[in-house]
């Protein structure tokens, strides 16, 4: 979902109604434009929806069949974290239905969460303390390594290492995957605790990474114990 306008909402609801409502662990789930490798977890429902989510509309997407809502700008507002909005959203939709998008860029040697198409820096930096705090309100984290996103120049291994070491809840990394070796690097750097999305590098989207090879790699992995 790209926005909160009526056409985007209509398209999102249509997708939610079309997509199967339940799946179990060790399945590979493909949702345009990302390939999500989700290992060893049972989901609560269907697709996850993000874009224009707030306390007023979040529950409506769950009622339409979404398993989770994905939120960034509503919580990280005007360059800061709005704790009251975060608490209210978790209360309305439930911690078990909330994914916090913590996509970040490097700033002064630290990873700062960014919003507004990744152009605006917040004053919130990813570290052990903030990940533990935010985990009180969310079921999962989604983290795009914005500095390498869409460039197919390799992953941000330092960021993956940080997530694998400090995230107390399931976390999915996105950004820079270009070859099969990158998947293995994420597995090792994230100590088996970081999932991954693959997008523009796939041959089905014009890239050079064979979709069938990624699928085969996925099914060769040992399930995670969460």
């Amino acid at each position: 979902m790209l926005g909160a306008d009526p056409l985007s909402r209509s398209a999102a609801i249509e997708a939610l109604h079309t997509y199967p409502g339940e799946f179990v662990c060790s399945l590979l789930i493909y949702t345009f434009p990302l390939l999500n490798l989700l290992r060893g977890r049972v989901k609560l429902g269907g697709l996850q929806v993000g874009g224009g989510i707030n306390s007023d509309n979040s529950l409506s997407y769950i009622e339409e069949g979404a398993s989770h809502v994905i939120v960034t700008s509503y919580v990280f507002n005007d360059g800061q974290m709005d704790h009251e909005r975060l608490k209210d959203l978790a209360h309305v939709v439930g911690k078990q239905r909330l994914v916090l998008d913590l996509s970040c860029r490097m700033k002064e040697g630290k990873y700062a969460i960014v919003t507004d198409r990744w152009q605006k820096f917040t004053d919130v930096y990813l570290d052990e303390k903030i990940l533990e705090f935010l985990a009180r309100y969310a079921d999962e984290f989604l983290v795009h390594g914005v500095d390498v996103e869409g460039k197919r120049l390799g992953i941000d291994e330092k960021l993956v290492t940080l997530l694998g070491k400090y995230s107390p809840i399931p976390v999915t990394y996105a950004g820079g995957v270009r070859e099969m070796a990158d998947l293995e690097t994420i597995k090792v750097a994230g100590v088996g605790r970081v999932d991954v999305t693959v997008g523009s590098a796939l041959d089905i989207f014009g890239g050079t990474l064979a979709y069938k090879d990624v699928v085969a790699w996925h099914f060769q992995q040992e399930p995670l114990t969460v």
Side-chain angles (χ1 to χ4, degrees), residues 15-158:
L16 292 173
H17 291 174
T18 302
Y19 191 81
E22 298 289 340
F23 63 91
V24 296
C25 60
S26 297
L27 287 182
L28 179 144
I29 305 303
Y30 164 64
T31 57
F32 184 83
L34 298 176
L35 176 74
N36 289 299
L37 305 183
L38 304 171
R39 301 187 301 277
R41 299 206 298 273
V42 177
K43 291 296 178 183
L44 294 174
L47 298 175
Q48 300 179 355
V49 176
I53 302 296
N54 56 51
S55 294
D56 293 329
N57 65 18
S58 57
L59 192 58
S60 68
Y61 289 107
I62 300 300
E63 292 171 344
E64 294 289 353
S67 69
H68 296 69
V69 290
I70 307 172
V71 179
T72 306
S73 297
Y74 182 70
V75 170
F76 300 98
N77 180 48
D78 197 24
Q80 298 178 320
M81 179 170 61
D82 191 321
H83 191 200
E84 291 304 312
R85 283 188 174 186
L86 177 59
K87 289 193 297 183
D88 185 49
L89 187 61
H91 174 73
V92 169
V93 78
K95 175 185 185 297
Q96 75 278 11
R97 300 284 192 177
L98 181 59
V99 176
L100 288 178
D101 183 340
L102 308 181
S103 296
C104 57
R105 296 173 62 185
M106 184 66 76
K107 181 181 180 182
E108 298 176 352
K110 298 182 291 183
Y111 289 103
I113 295 173
V114 289
T115 63
D116 301 328
R117 297 181 176 85
W118 302 334
Q119 298 303 306
K120 186 170 185 176
F121 284 92
T122 71
D123 62 2
V124 183
Y125 294 88
L126 290 188
D127 56 24
E128 181 178 12
K129 183 177 180 180
I130 196 65
L131 289 171
E132 287 184 353
F133 174 78
L134 293 174
R136 303 175 192 172
Y137 301 95
D139 191 46
E140 301 179 28
F141 296 138
L142 169 64
V143 184
H144 290 258
V146 177
D147 293 318
V148 298
E149 176 66 43
K151 298 178 181 178
R152 285 186 273 171
L153 297 176
I155 66 165
D156 189 334
E157 187 173 346
K158 182 178 178 181

Side-chain angles (χ1 to χ4, degrees), residues 171-187:
V171 56
T172 298
Y173 166 85
V177 172
R178 59 181 174 177
E179 57 189 8
M180 297 301 298
D182 289 326
L183 302 180
E184 288 293 338
T185 299
I186 291 170
K187 179 181 177 181

Side-chain angles (χ1 to χ4, degrees), residues 184-201:
E184 288 293 338
T185 299
I186 291 170
K187 179 181 177 181
V188 174
V191 292
R193 302 182 64 243
V194 179
D195 292 323
V196 58
T197 68
V198 186
S200 59

